């Protein structure tokens, strides 16, 4: 009899989606050249969308969700990965069209995996997850567009969420002054503990604003889109840059060309799902060097596989602070 392992499966019928906790065997795994013994996964905004069905994230049913996982290679037919190698996976459609991280085993393509630096444990890799890796991509984009600590503060929207929390920790360690925008005033102490110097209410940015506002920050990391992104752009100083990586407020961008042609501002789009391997490896090298793991620990809530549906629903409602790490073997 084949050895079984636990997993979450989402199926879809006439009545809609159903979430089940099941036992699978390796015969149930999808095609791939590397089998990973999964240690940890996490809960991201996209995972919340998958569980709640509020967006068509899942493209194939039944599916094991979870867009992230970290673990150790168990079997490999890929030349770059040997059994025992510690790895992390973010994106590539895993948890959307290919079985993901909410299981004790995963079989995927080796070209999707990143070898973990020694300085990042498997648990910390999950705590970073897509949210933290995306935050690092945003910081790299700001740096490449000339946003240095001496140029002025950096705005971070959705500050108490996963991307925002890691972005604040990274930027503050790199010497930036951080302005954190949040709708949760109760999280002020948490945000200041991560390194934010100033807290502003998200209502300052979430309503329709002027095409060109007062110059308030040299750069911004935005997870919201819509009016929030438009106002972040409008408040950016001459020669600054904004990294856009999310759509929590909306897909629209009701902005003007004025900040771009009058202030020379750059809008950098950040994609974490299909980012090429060199960008991923650079991000993890920088995370190993520039992310304070004590601050990362401070933003983590730990969960078991059985717990996942609850934070998956709460993250869509903006009720999850920081990062949720899921121990799939607990």
């Amino acid at each position: 009899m084949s050895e079984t392992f636990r997993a979450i499966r989402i199926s879809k019928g006439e009545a809609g989606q159903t979430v089940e906790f099941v036992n699978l065997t390796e015969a149930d795994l999808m095609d791939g050249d590397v089998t990973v013994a999964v240690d940890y996964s996490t809960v991201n905004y996209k995972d919340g969308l998958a569980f709640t069905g509020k967006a068509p994230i899942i493209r194939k049913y039944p599916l094991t969700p979870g867009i992230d996982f970290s673990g150790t290679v168990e079997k490999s037919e890929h030349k770059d990965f040997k059994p025992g190698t510690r790895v992390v996976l973010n994106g590539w459609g895993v948890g959307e069209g290919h079985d993901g991280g909410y299981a004790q085993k995963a079989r995927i393509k080796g070209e999707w995996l990143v070898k973990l630096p020694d300085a990042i444990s498997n648990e910390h890799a999950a705590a970073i997850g897509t949210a933290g890796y995306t935050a690092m991509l945003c910081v790299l984009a700001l740096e490449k567009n000339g946003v240095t600590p001496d140029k002025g503060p950096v705005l971070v929207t959705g500050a108490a969420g996963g991307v925002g929390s890691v972005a604040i920790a990274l930027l503050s360690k790199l010497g930036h002054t951080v302005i954190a925008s949040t709708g949760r005033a109760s999280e002020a102490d948490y945000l200041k503990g991560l390194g934010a110097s100033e807290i502003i209410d998200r209502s300052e940015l979430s309503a329709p604003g002027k095409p060109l506002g007062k110059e308030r920050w040299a750069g911004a990391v935005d997870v919201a889109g819509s009016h929030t992104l438009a106002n972040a752009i409008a408040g950016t100083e001459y020669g600054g840059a904004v990294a856009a990586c999310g759509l929590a407020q909306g897909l629209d961008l009701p902005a003007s060309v004025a900040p771009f042609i009058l202030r020379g501002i750059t809008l950098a789009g950040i994609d974490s799902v299909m980012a090429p391997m060199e960008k991923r490896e650079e991000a993890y090298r920088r995370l190993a060097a520039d992310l304070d793991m004590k601050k990362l620990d401070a933003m983590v809530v730990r969960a078991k596989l059985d717990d996942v549906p609850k934070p998956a629903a709460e993250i869509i409602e903006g009720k999850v602070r920081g990062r949720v790490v899921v121990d799939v073997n607990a």
Side-chain angles (χ1 to χ4, degrees):
M1 183 176 176
S2 299
E3 182 184 351
T4 63
F5 58 90
R6 292 193 74 218
I8 298 175
R9 297 289 271 180
I10 297 182
S11 303
K12 189 173 186 180
E14 291 182 7
Q17 285 192 171
T18 56
V19 178
E20 296 178 287
F21 293 85
V22 299
N23 289 316
L24 303 176
T25 70
E26 287 197 15
D28 297 308
L29 292 173
M30 287 185 169
D31 290 341
D33 52 11
V34 179
T35 302
V36 177
V38 178
D39 291 323
Y40 300 97
S41 187
T42 181
V43 180
N44 295 283
Y45 191 81
K46 190 178 279 187
D47 297 314
L49 292 173
F51 269 84
T52 60
K54 291 194 174 181
I57 294 299
I58 296 178
R59 302 190 300 272
K60 184 175 183 178
Y61 293 92
L63 192 85
T64 297
I67 66 170
D68 291 328
F69 65 77
S70 63
T72 304
V73 173
E74 196 170 77
K75 300 175 184 176
S76 176
E77 295 172 1
H78 192 285
K79 61 182 178 60
D80 293 336
F81 295 94
K82 296 178 181 178
T85 305
R86 296 188 310 112
V87 293
V88 64
L89 182 137
N90 308 114
W92 294 117
V94 170
E96 300 178 64
H98 191 100
D99 285 336
Y102 296 145
Q104 293 172 311
K105 285 183 189 283
R107 185 188 293 137
I108 40 78
K109 294 181 180 180
E111 64 200 59
W112 297 346
L113 293 170
V114 174
K115 293 177 183 177
L116 279 173
D118 292 340
I120 300 178
S121 69
N122 289 8
E123 186 171 4
H124 280 150
I128 291 166
T130 284
Y133 147 65
T134 301
M136 188 73 250
L137 291 176
C138 289
V139 172
L140 289 168
L142 294 183
E143 289 179 351
K144 287 171 183 175
N145 284 288
V147 179
T148 50
D150 60 301
K151 297 288 179 64
V154 175
L155 169 73
V156 176
T157 68
V163 174
S165 294
V166 178
I168 292 168
L170 286 166
L171 288 162
S172 64
K173 187 175 179 183
L174 290 165
H176 293 272
T177 298
V178 181
I179 300 172
S181 168
T182 181
R184 293 179 267 178
S186 59
E187 301 292 9
D189 288 342
Y190 164 75
L191 296 171
K192 287 179 179 177
L194 294 178
S197 299
E198 182 184 346
I199 315 294
I200 62 173
D201 192 277
R202 72 177 173 207
S203 61
E204 288 190 37
L205 301 171
S206 58
K210 296 178 180 178
L212 203 62
K214 180 183 176 182
E215 296 179 65
R216 299 176 67 183
W217 36 76
V221 174
D222 177 63
V223 303
S226 193
H227 293 292
T228 299
L229 177 55
N231 287 320
I233 293 167
T236 300
E237 297 171 4
Y238 189 93
V242 176
C245 66
L247 44 74
Q249 187 180 5
L251 276 167
D252 58 323
L253 180 55
S256 160
V257 296
F260 303 105
I261 61 175
L262 297 179
R263 291 186 184 160
I265 287 163
T266 298
L267 177 60
I270 306 300
D271 165 59
S272 62
V273 177
M274 303 304 289
M277 189 54 65
E278 56 267 26
K279 276 193 175 183
R280 294 168 183 266
E281 291 173 343
E282 180 184 13
Y284 274 94
R285 282 195 300 271
R286 287 291 303 274
L287 284 160
D290 296 328
L291 180 59
D292 184 333
M293 295 301 165
K294 289 182 181 177
K295 286 185 178 179
L296 181 62
D297 288 334
M299 62 181 87
V300 166
V301 175
R302 288 168 176 78
K304 300 176 182 178
L305 202 60
D306 295 310
D307 303 328
V308 169
K310 185 172 184 286
E314 290 175 341
I315 200 167
I316 298 301
E317 299 168 7
K319 295 179 180 177
V320 170
R321 181 177 87 177
R323 303 288 296 127
V324 179
V325 172
V326 181
D327 183 344
V328 301
N329 299 298

